[in-house]
Amino acid sequence: MQRRKVTLKPYPNAAQAARLEAWTRLHCELYNAALEERIDAWRKARKSISYFDQQNALPQIKADRPEFIALGSHALQQTLRRLDLAFQSFFRRVKAGQTPGFPRFKAAKRFSGFSYPDPAGWKLMQHGGRGATLRLGSGDAAMSIRARGRHRFGVEAKPNDITLTRRNDQWFVSVTLRVPDAACARERTADFRRGVDFGINDWATFDEGPPIANPRWLREELPHLAALQRQRARKKNGSLRFKRLGRRIARLHERIGNRRRDFVHKETTRMVRQCAVLATEQLAPKTMSRSAKGTVDAPGRRVRQKAGLNREILSAGFGVAHSMLAYKAEEAGTRLHLSNTRQLKPSQRCAACWEIVPKTLADRMHVCPHCGHVMQRDQNSALVVLIDANTPGMGVAARPKPLPRQRGKSKSVTRETPTTTAQAV
């Protein structure tokens, strides 16, 4: 059995939405009270309060505050566990010498939601197609909320836990499914070996064939986004119109993110369905999008240009594409090969003679002075990582010349992905 997450969109009526809001405020109140108890116990008595100490106090809390009974014991325990995980992360960062980030009190409007960690206190009923009904609570006070969404795992998938989140005045339900291994498998329609290079001009360039254009969702919406931000800047901070424009800006950002996620899902699915071997390079978007401002003593150069490049790098979604390729490749039996960028240098290496040819970002053509090989820069990089994927042993950096390129269909019939190259997400 494996676990997979799907997201459904519930449509509560006005009374149900008000009740969900009230439940969220109670969970937020419990979270803040538990945090205050831990802080006061350490400040006044140098005593550490554990999760189990606070969990054992829940029966007394429900006796004193009957409104907490409807939330369910397991959901309340999960809220306390959420605080305990925040403290565990805080102490881990302290030991590692990182910025600690002490757990903070949360406002009710910024508290994202609550969870049911096991199949107790709720029930999800699928009605075929996209329809579903989510039942929360028990007895006469239970709520039956209409929901919409679907997944590809069939009737064998069993819901295990759910998380209700509130985002931009809308509710979403994230469901964890227990799925048999056979239901997770993806059908592959071809057995090609492809190298792919992710970039800005074209979202993905292959070693052969047409590239995938970069849709640039953020750049398309930038004029609209800038206009809304200018309108909000002219409003009084905290006023009704200021908040209304803030919600419009948040919805626009959410729309851009949804379009990007949908695009990446479709393209990565198409890649793993067509390929038995898929090779690309390891990318670090966080490092690639680092600011160029520098320091007071050593100020950066071309800061505005680098900021625009950083925006395009983050908008392309390279990180989410790699994570999707990892678990989809495992499900389809595709071997995903990630080349070491620092060792291989795909954008600087010649795919024909394997020599290093230095280039700047402005150089879009690869022209090798050693062998005369001429190719589009991104296509050459895709070919380099494909040759690296066909190389047995420790890697290409120790090999002066590349192995012959393998084209056409793979003879491999394996349906498993090595754990060293792809892991489930």
Side-chain angles (χ1 to χ4, degrees):
M1 299 290 286
Q2 299 189 28
R3 297 194 177 210
R4 293 293 184 269
K5 281 197 173 184
V6 297
T7 301
L8 306 180
K9 177 69 173 68
Y11 294 90
N13 57 35
Q16 292 170 343
R19 196 172 177 188
L20 288 175
E21 293 282 350
W23 284 7
T24 303
R25 286 195 296 270
L26 290 176
H27 277 281
C28 180
E29 182 181 351
L30 177 65
Y31 183 95
N32 290 335
L35 175 58
E36 184 178 9
E37 181 186 19
R38 291 194 179 210
I39 294 175
D40 289 345
W42 178 256
R43 183 179 296 165
K44 296 178 180 179
R46 294 296 175 182
K47 179 182 177 182
S48 295
I49 303 295
S50 69
Y51 160 74
F52 297 100
D53 295 332
Q54 295 183 324
Q55 173 189 304
N56 294 335
L58 284 177
Q60 184 62 41
I61 293 175
K62 289 188 289 185
D64 297 337
R65 299 281 302 276
E67 59 268 26
F68 278 94
I69 297 176
L71 275 60
S73 299
H74 293 188
L76 295 174
Q77 293 170 10
Q78 186 64 20
T79 298
L80 294 179
R81 192 175 292 112
R82 177 177 173 181
L83 175 64
D84 189 62
L85 289 175
F87 270 98
Q88 291 179 20
S89 300
F90 165 73
F91 290 119
R92 174 181 52 80
R93 289 189 293 266
V94 169
K95 291 181 180 178
Q98 303 171 352
T99 303
F102 190 80
R104 296 183 292 181
F105 294 99
K106 295 181 181 293
K109 64 180 180 180
R110 299 181 67 88
F111 198 77
S112 58
F114 52 94
S115 302
Y116 291 88
D118 47 45
W122 62 276
K123 186 176 182 181
L124 181 65
M125 296 164 283
Q126 201 81 23
H127 302 312
R130 293 178 177 269
T133 299
L134 176 64
R135 181 181 175 87
L136 298 177
S138 59
D140 297 335
M143 291 189 296
S144 294
I145 304 175
R146 182 174 59 91
R148 194 163 183 259
R150 64 178 179 179
H151 56 80
R152 64 180 184 85
F153 303 112
V155 296
E156 297 178 349
K158 303 301 180 183
N160 186 74
D161 59 79
I162 62 171
T163 299
L164 287 93
T165 56
R166 177 183 52 184
R167 192 166 60 243
N168 293 333
D169 298 329
Q170 295 182 339
W171 286 94
F172 298 90
V173 180
S174 178
V175 185
T176 302
L177 302 175
R178 289 181 284 110
V179 186
D181 295 341
C184 288
R186 294 174 181 264
E187 183 180 359
R188 216 170 53 212
T189 59
D191 293 321
F192 297 113
R193 293 174 176 265
R194 307 292 297 272
V196 57
D197 180 78
F198 293 100
I200 301 299
N201 290 340
D202 291 312
W203 187 75
T205 303
F206 300 97
D207 60 299
E208 59 180 3
I212 300 175
N214 187 358
R216 301 181 187 272
W217 305 123
L218 179 59
R219 179 183 291 187
E220 179 182 324
E221 297 289 353
L222 270 181
H224 186 198
L225 183 62
L228 290 177
Q229 290 173 336
R230 283 195 296 267
Q231 291 179 36
R232 189 177 64 166
R234 292 193 291 266
K235 302 299 184 288
K236 183 179 178 181
N237 193 353
S239 65
L240 180 62
R241 293 180 178 178
F242 183 91
K243 296 177 181 178
R244 187 179 300 158
L245 285 168
R247 288 193 294 268
R248 290 180 61 186
I249 293 172
R251 284 195 296 269
L252 180 56
H253 277 296
E254 183 181 18
R255 179 171 178 267
I256 294 171
N258 290 340
R259 295 175 72 185
R260 179 191 302 116
R261 193 177 304 108
D262 179 70
F263 168 79
V264 177
H265 262 300
K266 291 178 179 178
E267 296 301 335
T268 52
T269 299
R270 188 177 295 112
M271 288 181 192
V272 298
R273 281 182 177 177
Q274 296 177 352
C275 300
V277 176
L278 189 63
T280 185
E281 60 177 313
Q282 294 176 348
L283 296 176
K286 183 176 180 180
T287 304
M288 296 165 60
S289 58
R290 188 174 295 165
S291 174
K293 288 194 297 186
T295 62
V296 176
D297 299 329
R301 299 173 57 249
R302 302 176 68 86
V303 177
R304 184 173 297 180
Q305 291 83 346
K306 184 61 169 65
L309 177 61
N310 293 345
R311 182 176 60 241
E312 294 295 333
I313 291 173
L314 297 175
S315 177
F318 299 143
V320 69
H322 275 200
S323 63
M324 289 182 184
L325 282 175
Y327 78 83
K328 291 180 182 181
E330 183 178 6
E331 294 174 349
T334 299
R335 182 168 73 89
L336 178 64
H337 177 81
L338 299 177
S339 298
N340 189 322
T341 303
R342 293 181 180 272
Q343 181 186 27
L344 183 63
K345 297 181 174 60
S347 62
Q348 309 293 329
R349 191 176 295 276
C350 178
C353 67
W354 221 245
E355 298 291 340
I356 295 295
V357 182
K359 292 184 285 290
T360 65
L361 286 177
D363 299 327
R364 304 315 304 170
M365 291 297 296
H366 169 80
V367 181
C368 181
H370 306 282
C371 66
H373 177 62
V374 179
M375 183 177 281
Q376 203 270 346
R377 173 192 179 131
D378 296 336
Q379 187 177 5
N380 178 80
S381 300
L383 183 54
V384 169
V385 295
L386 178 60
I387 295 173
D388 184 48
N390 295 331
T391 304
M394 297 299 294
V396 301
R399 188 185 68 249
K401 299 297 180 183
L403 293 181
R405 182 185 180 191
Q406 300 184 20
R407 292 181 178 271
K409 295 186 177 181
S410 170
K411 296 181 181 180
S412 174
V413 294
T414 179
R415 300 294 294 175
E416 297 180 356
T417 300
T419 57
T420 55
T421 57
Q423 297 180 354
V425 176

